[in-house]
């Protein structure tokens, strides 16, 4: 699986960081960063939840 973030839509609210800190990170500059674009499948449920709860619908989970 591959994680895609539309950074033009992202508001850097941090919801995804709270759910999956191994994949998402808020930088010191306040912007969201991807730590791992191709995470392990065992994070699928948490990533799906992060995508569903993203307030700007900026996160997409793609099949590799």
């Amino acid at each position: 699986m591959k994680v895609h973030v539309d950074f033009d839509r992202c508001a850097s609210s941090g919801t995804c960081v709270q759910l999956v800190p191994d994949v998402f990170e808020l930088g010191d500059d306040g912007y969201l960063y991807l730590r791992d674009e191709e995470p392990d499948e065992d994070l699928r449920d948490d990533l799906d939840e992060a995508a569903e709860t993203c307030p700007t619908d900026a996160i997409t989970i793609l099949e590799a």
Side-chain angles (χ1 to χ4, degrees):
M1 108 184 100
K2 186 168 183 172
V3 178
H4 172 76
V5 176
D6 182 343
F7 290 104
D8 290 332
R9 296 180 73 168
C10 179
S12 298
S13 68
T15 304
C16 56
V17 177
Q18 293 174 4
L19 291 168
V20 200
D22 290 340
V23 175
F24 303 101
E25 167 179 42
L26 279 178
D28 292 337
D29 57 5
Y31 290 104
L32 181 76
Y33 292 91
L34 268 177
R35 298 181 69 192
D36 188 357
E37 285 186 31
E38 296 184 17
D40 291 332
E41 188 66 34
D42 63 336
L43 295 175
R44 167 77 67 171
D45 289 343
D46 291 337
L47 287 166
D48 285 342
E49 184 176 354
E52 290 172 13
T53 60
C54 177
T56 60
D57 293 322
I59 300 170
T60 306
I61 310 303
L62 306 167
E63 297 304 319

